[in-house]
């Protein structure tokens, strides 16, 4: 997988980096010799295609869904097929390694405008030792401070709430129901921020055009009663319409956590909310910020600044989600 990523780091539309996808890719496995290529590009067969079985309905006919028995069952009941499957996996892995090694040996490795060797040399020097470390960590395990992780999780959840609320407050100035939106929903974000009809990179303001809205179901956290209902429903419907197509660029992380609402302005720290006049103490300078096209799209000044920081806060919610899911909970 490391070799494959060095060869092509953008395999999002080619099946990713699974052994099955890589060994079935002619761009990787082909040698330009048709006779050899037939064998090389045979590819790994998935477990489901070999061992998968369709469930039977009560009338004895097969369902469309294919299920896969547990591995320990396959090893006992399909022993010969399992041994063949495992052996072919090893063969395909070796073929793939040799093809990627050959390709990377023809790609130069540059460091500070100077050729250091090939990308395979880079793999041997940097990535293979890293792979050995990962295998050791997986086989032996690593010590984890569960008490510390529990504290970090609470902080991360709190940070996520801060930046999500910041974005909702800003967005609701232009689309009222945005204060109830799910900031983790890509569909709702696209509906709010991006105009699919506009040319990429072009800012298109839609306030006066009143673009068509789209309905979304969200959790009824506000416990709002619908007309004619005796109790609040679990979900409620909101309307989101496009604001414009905008980009925030690079906003300093300390500024993303700056809170601005009708009652107070403050920056969130571990000690609490810091007043506006203390911003200079933590090194925040609006003039030094690298704002994106949203700054001009919303008229520059404070409104432009708020737009860029709100969109940056939205991006921060995704980063915090990844932190919690990948590195804290698991």
């Amino acid at each position: 997988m490391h070799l494959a990523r060095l060869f092509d780091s953008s395999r999002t539309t080619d099946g990713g980096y699974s052994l099955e996808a890589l060994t079935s890719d002619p761009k990787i496995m082909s040698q330009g010799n048709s006779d050899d290529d037939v064998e090389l590009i045979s590819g790994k067969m998935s477990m489901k295609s070999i061992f998968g079985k369709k469930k039977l309905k009560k009338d004895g006919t097969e369902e469309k869904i294919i299920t896969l028995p547990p591995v320990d069952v396959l090893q006992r009941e399909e022993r010969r097929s399992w041994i063949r499957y495992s052996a072919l996996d090893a063969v395909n892995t070796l073929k793939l390694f040799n093809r990627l090694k050959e390709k990377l040996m023809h790609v130069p490795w540059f460091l500070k405008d100077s050729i250091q060797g090939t990308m395979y040399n880079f793999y041997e020097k940097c990535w293979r030792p890293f792979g050995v470390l990962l295998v050791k960590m997986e086989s032996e395990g690593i010590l984890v401070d569960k008490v510390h992780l529990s504290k970090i999780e609470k902080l991360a959840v709190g940070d996520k709430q801060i930046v999500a609320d910041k974005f909702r407050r800003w967005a609701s100035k232009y689309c009222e129901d945005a204060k109830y939106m799910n900031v983790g929903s890509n569909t709702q974000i696209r509906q709010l921020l991006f105009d699919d009809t506009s040319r990429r990179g072009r800012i298109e303001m839609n306030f006066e055009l009143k673009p068509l809205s789209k309905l979304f179901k969200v959790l009824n956290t506000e416990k709002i009663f619908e007309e004619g209902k005796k109790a609040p429903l679990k979900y409620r419907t909101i309307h989101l319409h496009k604001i414009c197509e905008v980009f925030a660029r690079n906003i300093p992380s300390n500024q993303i956590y700056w809170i601005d609402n009708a009652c107070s302005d403050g920056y969130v720290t571990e000690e609490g909310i810091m007043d506006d006049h203390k911003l200079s103490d933590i090194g925040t300078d609006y003039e030094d910020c690298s704002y994106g096209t949203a700054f001009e799209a919303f008229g520059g000044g404070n409104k432009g600044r708020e737009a860029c920081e709100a969109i940056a806060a939205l991006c921060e919610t995704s980063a915090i989600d990844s932190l919690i899911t990948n590195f804290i909970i698991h």
Side-chain angles (χ1 to χ4, degrees):
M1 185 181 291
H2 286 170
L3 287 168
R5 286 188 180 276
L6 286 176
F7 176 68
D8 183 355
S9 61
S10 59
R11 286 183 57 87
T12 55
T13 58
D14 300 320
Y17 296 89
S18 68
L19 183 61
E20 183 179 359
L22 292 169
T23 54
S24 301
D25 190 338
K27 291 184 296 183
I28 294 175
M29 302 303 292
S30 175
Q31 290 181 313
N33 185 316
S34 58
D35 294 333
D36 293 336
D37 286 350
V38 171
E39 182 183 356
L40 277 172
I41 309 175
S42 57
K44 165 195 163 69
M45 293 184 67
S46 68
M47 288 180 64
K48 185 172 283 189
S49 64
I50 299 174
F51 304 108
K53 296 179 180 178
K54 292 184 177 181
K55 281 187 175 182
L56 295 178
K57 298 179 181 179
K58 292 182 179 179
D59 60 3
T61 59
E62 293 182 337
E63 293 184 354
K64 292 183 178 180
I65 300 175
I66 298 176
T67 60
L68 191 66
V71 171
D72 58 332
V73 173
L74 292 176
Q75 290 174 341
R76 289 195 305 268
E77 299 181 2
E78 302 281 353
R79 183 171 175 77
R80 290 180 65 86
S81 296
W82 180 262
I83 292 173
R84 185 173 184 273
Y85 165 79
S86 301
L88 287 175
D89 254 19
V91 170
N92 278 314
T93 301
L94 181 59
K95 289 179 181 177
L96 176 62
F97 172 80
N98 287 331
R99 293 299 298 128
L100 287 170
K101 176 182 177 180
E102 182 182 335
K103 289 181 179 295
L104 289 175
M105 287 180 71
H106 290 87
V107 180
W109 166 26
F110 286 94
L111 181 64
K112 295 181 179 179
D113 299 326
S114 175
I115 295 181
Q116 304 295 310
T118 69
M119 287 306 291
Y120 184 74
N121 298 138
F122 172 77
Y123 164 77
E124 285 284 340
K125 183 177 177 64
C126 302
W127 278 35
R128 193 162 72 88
F130 176 59
V132 171
L133 174 63
L134 291 179
V135 170
K136 187 176 180 181
M137 289 170 61
E138 187 170 335
S139 59
E140 298 180 8
I142 58 174
L143 293 174
V144 174
D145 188 339
K146 293 184 178 179
V147 175
H148 177 68
L149 281 182
S150 179
K151 293 178 181 178
I152 293 298
E153 182 180 359
K154 291 178 182 178
L155 287 174
V157 170
D159 286 348
K160 179 184 173 183
Q161 188 65 47
I162 289 170
V163 292
D165 286 347
K166 175 170 184 144
F167 176 78
R168 291 192 190 98
R169 279 196 302 273
W170 169 80
S172 65
K173 295 178 182 178
Y174 304 99
C175 177
E176 185 177 355
D177 274 0
K179 59 185 164 186
Y180 306 114
M181 71 178 288
N182 174 12
V183 296
S185 167
N186 288 332
T187 306
Q188 293 182 34
I189 292 170
R190 284 197 302 270
Q191 175 65 29
L192 191 71
L193 294 182
F194 298 100
D195 185 349
D196 296 333
T197 62
S198 64
R199 191 170 63 253
R200 178 174 291 186
R202 170 186 169 193
I203 302 301
E204 186 165 308
M205 302 299 291
N206 288 321
F207 303 125
E208 295 182 0
L209 296 176
K210 296 182 180 179
L212 295 175
S213 63
K214 189 173 181 180
L215 302 179
F216 293 94
K217 279 192 174 182
V218 297
L219 284 171
N220 189 8
T221 55
E222 305 290 320
K223 303 297 181 185
I224 295 175
F225 283 72
E226 289 189 6
E227 189 176 349
K229 300 292 183 181
K230 296 182 179 179
L233 299 176
K234 184 177 180 180
Y235 294 94
R236 63 182 297 253
T237 301
I238 63 172
H239 297 75
L240 295 181
H241 64 75
K242 293 181 180 68
I243 294 177
C244 70
E245 186 174 352
V246 292
F247 301 94
R249 283 193 75 183
N250 300 318
I251 308 299
S253 59
N254 60 348
Q255 204 157 317
I256 293 175
Y257 289 90
W258 175 260
I259 292 178
D260 30 32
N261 53 37
C263 301
S264 65
D265 288 338
Y267 174 79
V268 179
T269 67
E270 291 185 2
E271 290 74 29
I273 297 179
M274 188 177 291
D275 294 334
D276 188 20
H277 70 277
K278 294 182 179 179
L279 262 184
S280 57
D281 297 336
I282 56 174
T284 299
D285 186 351
Y286 295 147
E287 299 301 323
D288 293 336
C289 297
S290 178
Y291 289 116
T293 52
F295 184 78
E296 295 297 335
F298 283 88
N302 286 334
K303 285 190 175 181
R305 172 182 62 80
E306 288 176 358
C308 288
E309 291 176 10
I311 296 168
L314 177 64
C315 296
E316 188 76 357
T317 63
S318 178
I320 294 173
D321 257 341
S322 297
L323 171 69
I324 294 172
T325 303
N326 298 326
F327 299 103
I328 296 180
I329 294 179
H330 294 296

